[in-house]
Amino acid sequence: MEEYRKGWPVLLSCILGCSVGVHVLLQYSLGPLIAPLTKEFGWTSAQITGAMFFKSVGVLIMAVAVGALSDRHGARQIALLSLCLLACACFGMTLIPGNIWFFYAGYVVIVVAGAGTLPMIWTRVLVGWFSAGRGLAIGISLMGNGLVGAMLPSYVTWLADHWGWRGAFIGLGILPLVVGLPITLWAFREPPRVEAPKLDETRTGDAAQSEAPPGFTFRAAIGTRVFWQMGAAFALGPLVLIGVLVNLVPLLTDRGMSRDVAAALTGLFGIAVVAGRLLTGWLLDNFNPERTVALLLLIPLAGCLGLFISGTNILACGLGVALLGIAAGMEADAAAYLAARYYGRAHYGAIYGLLYTIITLSGGVGPFIISTSFGRTGSYSPALIGGAGLFAISSLLVGLLRPRMSAKGGVAMLAVR
């Protein structure tokens, strides 16, 4: 395909850059850090997983702003600066004292510093380079998250076992500098500018306006029902997925598994994310997006039920983890794809930035809710059953999306209500 022939270096830079971005580093590392942090400071699992909420606070502060900056000034400079700042912020975590609020503040600082590595920065460039194969391109670009996520729990566990939790944060900070920075310098580029057709200066009013390139402003997009319906649908999933992922090592060790086996199964989650991204991207390019996503959201429902009934059976636990990983790979791709599909490229960074903020806020409270549920009930079963119900609602919300086609200036475009 011509798009891939021209855009493969950019696609490669997005794969590697996003895979060592702030979202991946914090999401996949916290679970293995719970035991060493508890041992040194006496913090509970619920207290430590509360850091994911403060991660979401950082996203709330920065996502829309950094998305808007990328719309105005381009994504490359922002990504380069953020990769360097992200590394410095991870190194700085080694200096925190034994006060949980300093730990929370550190997570906010890491996200603020690394906001330019969030997915909307990388996908903003991709939606300009790819059109016919956009869904698959987004899926491929974000599959690096799953690949690194598959290895990161074991990597962090090894670092923490040999050099403590401080050594683990140093190891995390090295990744953006060694993996992300060189490829971003070499290949991450804005798409070629497409000249808009010149307006006939003798035509005014609606006739001239009809020739302007289509696309929603940020204010117009958030004024539509579809945006908030998408936000609600995609917020329910991360509440369960991130909550289970962060608590997965404690969930499995509570059943009698060793930390090494639990970390390996957590890594399986990342591998499944890769499969979910590629499958979803191909399906989005070839089938009705809304119906496709609604059906795919039934996969994690099965995953929650699978983990609920699996007990200590490693194969059954692995299957449940894999199904949840497939869903984690699907949701980010689907949200990015639908944001571009409904609202265009002009203000994609800010629009998807707000959608991503909603998703992240939900994911931020998920680990705390599940940890608190376990603390009160002594079991993760209520959370898994409740999670299955939330995925059913999410599937219904996406399935009820009803965009309609209209024409503006002779160009077919989606009109959302």
Side-chain angles (χ1 to χ4, degrees):
M1 188 182 293
E2 183 68 13
E3 289 179 337
Y4 285 89
R5 187 185 67 81
K6 292 182 177 180
W8 74 264
V10 176
L11 184 56
L12 178 62
S13 69
C14 291
I15 294 171
L16 296 178
C18 193
S19 70
V20 293
V22 64
H23 170 75
V24 178
L25 296 189
L26 294 187
Q27 178 169 296
Y28 288 94
S29 65
L30 186 57
L33 290 174
I34 290 175
L37 287 170
T38 298
K39 181 178 180 180
E40 179 163 344
F41 298 121
W43 301 336
T44 66
S45 174
Q47 286 178 308
I48 296 168
T49 55
M52 296 305 289
F53 171 76
F54 288 90
K55 172 200 167 189
S56 69
V57 170
V59 172
L60 175 65
I61 294 170
M62 294 298 297
V64 175
V66 80
L69 286 172
S70 70
D71 290 333
R72 180 173 299 182
H73 302 294
R76 185 172 185 269
Q77 293 86 344
I78 293 172
L80 288 170
L81 176 61
S82 286
L83 285 166
C84 297
L85 293 177
L86 173 59
C88 293
C90 287
F91 296 153
M93 285 294 288
T94 63
L95 304 177
I96 65 168
N99 185 310
I100 190 67
W101 290 102
F102 282 95
F103 186 68
Y104 294 157
Y107 266 63
V108 176
V109 170
I110 290 175
V111 176
V112 171
T117 65
L118 289 170
M120 79 282 298
I121 299 299
W122 311 100
T123 57
R124 182 196 174 277
V125 170
L126 280 182
V127 298
W129 280 95
F130 297 89
S131 179
R134 179 177 293 167
L136 184 58
I138 292 174
I140 293 173
S141 72
L142 297 178
M143 76 177 186
N145 296 15
L147 292 173
V148 172
M151 298 180 287
L152 206 60
S154 295
Y155 173 66
V156 173
T157 298
W158 179 79
L159 288 171
D161 287 346
H162 288 79
W163 290 285
W165 64 267
R166 292 180 178 83
F169 273 107
I170 292 174
L172 290 174
I174 289 172
L175 294 178
L177 297 179
V178 173
V179 178
L181 193 60
I183 191 68
T184 304
L185 279 168
W186 172 64
F188 191 54
R189 296 287 186 274
E190 294 287 333
R193 290 186 177 273
V194 178
E195 293 295 330
K198 292 184 178 180
L199 299 180
D200 185 345
E201 296 181 358
T202 64
R203 302 172 69 189
T204 58
D206 292 341
Q209 188 177 10
S210 70
E211 295 179 354
F216 281 72
T217 64
F218 176 74
R219 181 175 295 181
I222 65 174
T224 63
R225 173 190 57 79
V226 167
F227 178 88
W228 297 106
Q229 187 173 336
M230 281 197 300
F234 290 121
L236 294 177
L239 190 150
V240 182
L241 293 170
I242 307 305
V244 171
L245 174 62
V246 172
N247 286 279
L248 193 54
V249 171
L251 184 154
L252 295 174
T253 55
D254 184 66
R255 296 181 178 185
M257 296 184 187
S258 69
R259 287 189 72 233
D260 289 340
V261 172
L265 286 177
T266 304
L268 180 61
F269 186 100
I271 295 174
V273 166
V274 177
R277 294 199 191 288
L278 297 178
L279 173 65
T280 302
W282 182 81
L283 290 173
L284 288 173
D285 287 334
N286 291 278
F287 298 96
N288 178 273
E290 292 79 20
R291 293 174 185 173
T292 296
V293 175
L295 289 174
L296 288 173
L297 282 168
L298 299 178
I299 293 176
L301 186 155
C304 287
L305 296 179
L307 272 180
F308 171 67
I309 65 175
S310 60
T312 58
N313 187 298
I314 294 178
L315 290 178
C317 287
L319 178 59
V321 170
L323 292 176
L324 292 175
I326 289 172
M330 175 272 295
E331 286 215 327
D333 296 28
Y337 183 93
L338 292 177
R341 169 177 162 85
Y342 291 167
Y343 301 113
R345 283 179 50 202
H347 299 276
Y348 171 87
I351 293 168
Y352 182 51
L354 180 56
L355 188 60
Y356 183 80
T357 299
I358 295 169
I359 294 170
T360 304
L361 284 171
S362 173
V365 300
F368 177 77
I369 290 173
I370 292 180
S371 294
T372 302
S373 172
F374 175 78
R376 292 182 176 180
T377 66
S379 171
Y380 288 100
S381 295
L384 294 172
I385 294 296
L390 291 179
F391 280 117
I393 297 172
S394 181
S395 174
L396 181 63
L397 287 172
V398 174
L400 291 175
L401 287 173
R402 289 293 183 269
R404 56 189 173 84
M405 297 300 295
S406 67
K408 182 176 182 180
V411 179
M413 62 178 294
L414 283 166
V416 293
R417 292 167 284 181

